[in-house]
Amino acid sequence: MKHIGKLLVLALGMALTAVTETEAAAKPNILHIVADDLGWKDVGFNGATDIKTPNLDALASGGAKFSQFYTQSMCTPTRAALMTGRYPFRYGLQTIVIPGPAGYGLDTTEHLLPQCLKDAGYTTAIIGKWHLGHADIKYWPKQRGFDYQYGAMIGELDYYTHSDAGVLDWFRNNQPVKEEGYTTQLIGNDAVKYLGEQSADKPFYLYLTFNAPHTPYQAPQEYIDRFKNIKEPTRRTYAGMVSCLDDEIGRVISALDKKGLRENTLIIFHSDNGGTKNAMFAGQMTDLSKVVLPCDNGPYRDGKGSLFEGGSRVAACANWPGHIKPQTVDGIIHAVDLYPTFAALAGASTAKCKPLDGVNVWDTIAKGKESPRTEVVYNVEPFRGAVRQGDWKMIWRTLIPTSVDLYNLADDPYEQNNVASKHPLKIHAMQERLNALGKESAKPLALMYVAKVGLAHGKPNMASPDGKQPAAEPVHGHSITDEGVGQKDIHAEQK
């Protein structure tokens, strides 16, 4: 009788183990890779010929290559959209990025993606760049649902010293890390190590957020030397940065294979915004006003920081063997859609979330079916906004003198023919939509911060009575409200 009892206990244990392994297998691992300021055409799968990206090209050719994958047009807003599944205008992160000296961050009442996946049994990690709040530890990744953290809290940092203005921005699990190495390779090393520690019985979400190829433009000499055929020096260094990024992604995929996890891992890759075409949006660490900016957004107009397509239509692909059909996917996908899509795949509830702007686009990703998304809100700010409905896109600059652009992206994807004057009723309806969204918007925290700093009491800039020491006059550059139109303001050249 005792023998029979032991056999029953053994059988029950084996059955429970089998159920656990089956449940884990039903929930895919998610490897979410984000590049930083990568140009749309700076990968082989979108037509780059001078920069080689064989590992990314293999992911794209073996999976879904997206032709209409949208993000926000700058770093912080996109990362907020990814983590919340909600447009950043809803919680005040719609304007520029969180500056290094600023104290604000992503609203702590938002229920973030890693928190949602943890509730569904996932282990969660961020390796790389955060940029959703750094001045208060309550904003840091470990406090927002990530079990493990390694990398930069802000994101614009020297690739070798891992600092900005002498302040170290390199951490592991909330503790500062002083080490040597090039950030792209350090991030790759840590991701390989992390994957080596995972097992098939517990799914993981790895948010792998490289700071490459964001400024400052730095690369190991061996990578720069790969591109001696590129004559322009900044483009040559940038090519080395992208090549190193591609190599590290290749190492990460090899680590998945080695661990036997590749077949149950969804990989999604995209940039956080379009490549930089305006020095004003190239970062603050170095003066790039006289540098040839190296990013290539192909045929798309403008780039990072702009409401034109080049700012937010980004290089992107997805790969999951046996689950994603290899093809070009033309359906519209926005960064906010990844939250509900990942949650659905994970069997995770979004009940704790505030109302999501994202929709589940898994059938679009996996099968190329028509996207459930018919509208894209590029942004809603007090001084400008843009929305796409179907094939129609409107950009509205509300500061005096106001201006409106209207494009039919099916006929004019590169935004060369403004037809606003021919469609007054369409303009009126889309302006009404933006006004309605504006009423739902939170005040931009960046503008509140800038106003607070700019209007703070300080030492007067007084001229000398003898005229020998005139008061300093501001040098004029483009303001954040400009997109090639309007008046100049004091920004880019005051560095």
Side-chain angles (χ1 to χ4, degrees):
M1 195 69 180
K2 289 183 179 179
H3 180 65
I4 293 174
K6 289 180 179 178
L7 287 175
L8 287 173
V9 171
L10 178 61
L12 180 60
M14 292 175 66
L16 289 173
T17 300
V19 169
T20 301
E21 290 179 351
T22 300
E23 288 178 347
K27 296 181 176 184
N29 304 309
I30 301 171
L31 174 56
H32 184 185
I33 308 174
V34 181
D36 200 350
D37 291 7
L38 178 70
W40 181 89
K41 197 182 172 183
D42 289 327
V43 289
F45 67 80
N46 277 343
T49 56
D50 57 346
I51 299 177
K52 307 301 180 185
T53 54
N55 294 296
L56 286 171
D57 297 348
L59 286 178
S61 64
K65 181 180 79 169
F66 303 117
S67 65
Q68 297 193 87
F69 189 103
Y70 286 92
T71 61
Q72 301 303 115
S73 70
M74 292 194 78
C75 166
T76 291
T78 290
R79 293 163 201 272
L82 292 171
M83 291 295 100
T84 63
R86 290 158 43 83
Y87 288 121
F89 70 79
R90 299 198 182 280
Y91 39 82
L93 291 182
Q94 66 269 54
T95 300
I96 60 172
V97 301
I98 300 176
Y104 64 90
L106 175 58
D107 185 354
T108 55
T109 66
E110 296 286 337
H111 189 67
L112 303 194
L113 177 59
Q115 294 171 309
C116 175
L117 294 178
K118 276 187 71 171
D119 288 345
Y122 277 67
T123 184
T124 58
I126 175 174
I127 297 177
K129 174 176 175 175
W130 177 236
H131 214 171
L132 291 176
H134 52 273
D136 190 319
I137 198 170
K138 70 183 181 182
Y139 297 126
W140 289 18
K142 285 279 287 182
Q143 278 61 46
R144 308 305 300 269
F146 284 103
D147 297 311
Y148 175 75
Q149 176 274 329
Y150 172 78
M153 295 298 177
I154 307 175
E156 185 186 5
L157 70 165
D158 186 284
Y159 281 74
Y160 292 98
T161 67
H162 320 144
S163 64
D164 177 19
V167 177
L168 182 69
D169 184 15
W170 205 245
F171 297 83
R172 176 179 281 111
N173 291 334
N174 292 1
Q175 297 302 311
V177 176
K178 294 183 179 180
E179 60 184 346
E180 294 183 354
Y182 183 67
T183 60
T184 305
Q185 294 171 322
L186 291 174
I187 290 169
N189 290 342
D190 209 69
V192 168
K193 181 176 182 294
Y194 176 82
L195 293 173
E197 296 168 349
Q198 304 311 302
S199 61
D201 61 357
K202 187 173 179 63
F204 65 80
Y205 170 65
L206 173 54
Y207 184 42
L208 183 57
T209 54
F210 292 93
N211 62 307
H214 193 290
T215 55
Y217 296 126
Q218 298 171 314
Q221 191 61 46
E222 63 182 287
Y223 279 97
I224 298 173
D225 290 343
R226 289 184 181 183
F227 298 96
K228 293 180 180 179
N229 59 306
I230 298 178
K231 301 303 180 185
E232 206 292 311
T234 309
R235 176 72 177 177
R236 188 185 314 127
T237 299
Y238 176 84
M241 298 171 76
V242 174
S243 182
C244 184
L245 169 67
D246 185 77
D247 279 356
E248 293 307 313
I249 290 172
R251 291 182 59 229
V252 169
I253 296 168
S254 294
L256 278 174
D257 285 327
K258 183 178 180 181
K259 194 67 178 178
L261 298 173
R262 181 67 185 92
E263 296 302 310
N264 195 43
T265 300
L266 164 64
I267 300 175
I268 286 196
F269 166 85
H270 62 87
S271 182
D272 64 341
N273 45 249
T276 308
K277 304 299 289 183
N278 184 332
M280 179 176 65
F281 299 119
Q284 298 177 308
M285 288 183 66
T286 53
D287 181 4
L288 297 172
S289 60
K290 296 179 175 61
V291 170
V292 177
L293 294 174
C295 307
D296 186 355
N297 292 321
Y300 296 108
R301 185 171 175 179
D302 215 323
K304 177 181 179 181
S306 163
L307 293 178
F308 292 113
E309 291 293 285
S312 55
R313 190 187 293 216
V314 300
C317 63
N319 188 293
W320 184 9
H323 296 268
I324 293 179
K325 181 181 178 181
Q327 62 180 332
T328 296
V329 172
D330 294 323
I332 300 172
I333 298 172
H334 189 277
V336 293
D337 298 329
L338 294 187
Y339 192 133
T341 302
F342 291 168
L345 289 171
S349 171
T350 57
K352 294 180 182 178
C353 300
K354 296 181 181 180
L356 297 177
D357 292 305
V359 292
N360 183 351
V361 292
W362 178 243
D363 284 345
T364 305
I365 292 172
K367 303 173 184 177
K369 290 187 176 181
E370 184 177 353
S371 174
R373 173 165 295 284
T374 58
E375 178 183 81
V376 173
V377 180
Y378 294 79
N379 213 355
V380 180
E381 299 174 271
F383 53 88
R384 64 177 185 173
V387 63
R388 173 180 178 175
Q389 295 176 331
D391 292 327
W392 289 101
K393 174 181 177 180
M394 183 191 73
I395 302 173
W396 186 15
R397 304 171 192 86
T398 58
L399 290 181
I400 297 174
T402 64
S403 66
V404 179
D405 291 11
L406 182 68
Y407 303 99
N408 186 310
L409 295 179
D411 301 328
D412 182 22
Y414 312 138
E415 299 167 297
Q416 299 300 307
N417 184 25
N418 180 5
V419 295
S421 62
K422 298 179 181 179
H423 299 276
L425 294 180
K426 176 68 70 176
I427 289 293
H428 176 75
M430 297 179 86
Q431 285 180 329
E432 286 294 299
R433 173 60 174 156
L434 282 180
N435 263 326
L437 292 172
K439 292 176 182 178
E440 301 173 9
S441 299
K443 293 180 180 179
L445 296 172
L447 295 186
M448 295 170 67
Y449 166 75
V450 170
K452 179 180 179 182
V453 173
L455 297 176
H457 180 261
K459 183 179 179 181
N461 185 22
M462 185 67 67
S464 167
D466 59 11
K468 293 181 179 180
Q469 295 178 343
E473 295 183 0
V475 180
H476 294 283
H478 290 291
S479 78
I480 61 172
T481 64
D482 289 342
E483 288 181 295
V485 297
Q487 300 300 312
K488 292 185 176 182
D489 200 350
I490 48 170
H491 279 288
E493 296 177 21
Q494 281 193 332
K495 295 179 181 177

